Amino acid sequence: MSSSFERGLKILAEITASGETTVDAVSLKLGIPSSSAYRYFKVLREQEFVSEEDGRYRPGRALLHMSGQHLAQSHLAEVGNAVLRSIVEKVGETAVMIVRIGDHAMCLRRAEPDKSLKYTFAINELLPLHAGAGQRMILAWAPPEVVRQVLAGPMTRFTPNTLGPEQILSSIPQIRSSGVVLSRGELDEGSVSVAIPVFSRGEVVCSLNVAGPEGRCGSKLWIASTLKVMRDAAADLTDLLQASTPNKSTRETLDDYSSIA
């Protein structure tokens, strides 16, 4: 195997693991001269293995297709509306499907109740990974490099209930163990939201999030009944994804976050 080929593979692996990076960051981590790294990235971008915006690189169409992420997200987008509508019909509050795009979350699909007071996001809206139930669920299952980047970056305090870096880091093991995130006014004051992960072949591909006002959604009974509906929906999504995506994931989720602190 040639040295050039090895470097190209290492760069692809780093982009896949981090979700979003820069040429300088990869150059430093892999010990590749910046001038050489730029040439690799130029070729990878031309072949659509990476995409670039404002100097930050993310997995491109070709890499997403190879890893199965493109297929999974495409299928989620196709079946998402029906799944979310079924949740709304049963719980009467806004349901959204959240995915990760680099170091941000994104609302992939949304369904809303016919109520005047409701909490919602715009489809394709980029959201912070550190605030909100669905976003923090995605962050808890992100690669350590992404968690480190989010916690080290600017973290807007949206409300007095928005968590800080140490609180978020310490909450990750519990989130991954319980499979639930409950948020009370982290992003919007007076709101309650609950989220669970959706797995496909060992990876979390999205989170399901239901949100509403504290007055309607603050009780333990509402939370428990909503979680049951969401878990049934997540199981259906997992079955659909595993029947329509490749048999093997190209990325193993790492469990050790001790190096982030």
Side-chain angles (χ1 to χ4, degrees):
M1 180 183 293
S2 69
S3 175
S4 178
F5 187 44
E6 287 178 338
R7 286 180 174 180
L9 290 177
K10 287 179 180 179
I11 290 174
L12 283 176
E14 179 61 25
I15 295 168
T16 302
S18 64
E20 181 179 87
T21 190
T22 65
V23 174
D24 289 341
V26 170
S27 172
L28 180 63
K29 184 168 184 177
L30 300 183
I32 300 173
S34 294
S35 57
S36 299
Y38 273 103
R39 289 196 296 270
Y40 284 107
F41 273 87
K42 181 177 183 294
V43 173
L44 292 173
R45 185 177 58 193
E46 290 172 350
Q47 299 299 318
E48 297 187 323
F49 282 99
V50 300
S51 62
E52 182 267 337
E53 182 179 355
D54 297 329
R56 303 197 69 82
Y57 290 81
R58 301 183 178 94
R61 181 191 60 81
L63 185 56
L64 288 172
H65 183 78
M66 289 173 60
S67 68
Q69 294 179 46
H70 175 74
L71 291 175
Q73 287 196 8
S74 294
H75 199 64
L76 282 171
E78 291 174 5
V79 303
N81 286 334
V83 172
L84 294 177
R85 281 197 300 269
S86 72
I87 295 175
V88 173
E89 289 173 0
K90 294 171 182 175
V91 304
E93 302 295 343
T94 299
V96 296
M97 184 178 289
I98 304 291
V99 297
R100 183 173 64 85
I101 304 294
D103 60 356
H104 286 78
M106 187 183 79
C107 174
L108 184 67
R109 286 292 182 266
R110 173 200 69 212
E112 298 177 321
D114 185 17
K115 294 177 178 178
S116 58
L117 179 57
K118 54 195 174 187
Y119 292 89
T120 189
F121 303 119
I123 293 176
N124 294 334
E125 177 184 358
L126 288 180
L127 304 164
L129 274 174
H130 71 278
Q135 298 90 289
R136 287 206 292 117
M137 177 61 75
I138 291 294
L139 180 63
W141 288 95
E145 293 87 351
V146 174
V147 179
R148 186 181 299 110
Q149 182 176 337
V150 170
L151 299 187
M155 295 176 60
T156 301
R157 189 171 176 81
F158 297 97
T159 76
N161 290 341
T162 303
L163 303 185
E166 292 184 0
Q167 291 172 297
I168 290 175
L169 183 60
S170 65
S171 73
I172 288 177
Q174 188 274 331
I175 291 172
R176 295 180 64 154
S177 175
S178 69
V180 176
V181 175
L182 175 65
S183 167
R184 294 185 183 272
E186 292 177 22
L187 197 57
D188 297 294
E189 289 194 67
S191 68
V192 172
S193 63
V194 61
I196 63 171
V198 175
F199 289 86
S200 180
R201 308 208 181 276
E203 288 192 39
V204 171
V205 293
C206 73
S207 66
L208 294 179
N209 192 138
V210 173
E214 176 81 35
R216 293 199 303 255
C217 308
S219 71
K220 292 182 179 179
L221 179 61
W222 181 90
I223 292 168
S225 61
T226 298
L227 281 173
K228 183 180 185 306
V229 171
M230 294 171 69
R231 285 173 175 140
D232 289 343
D236 290 342
L237 274 175
T238 295
D239 291 342
L240 288 169
L241 287 170
Q242 294 188 163
S244 61
T245 54
N247 291 331
K248 186 177 180 181
S249 169
T250 59
R251 179 177 64 80
E252 294 183 359
T253 304
L254 302 182
D255 293 321
D256 184 6
Y257 284 83
S258 61
S259 62
I260 299 172

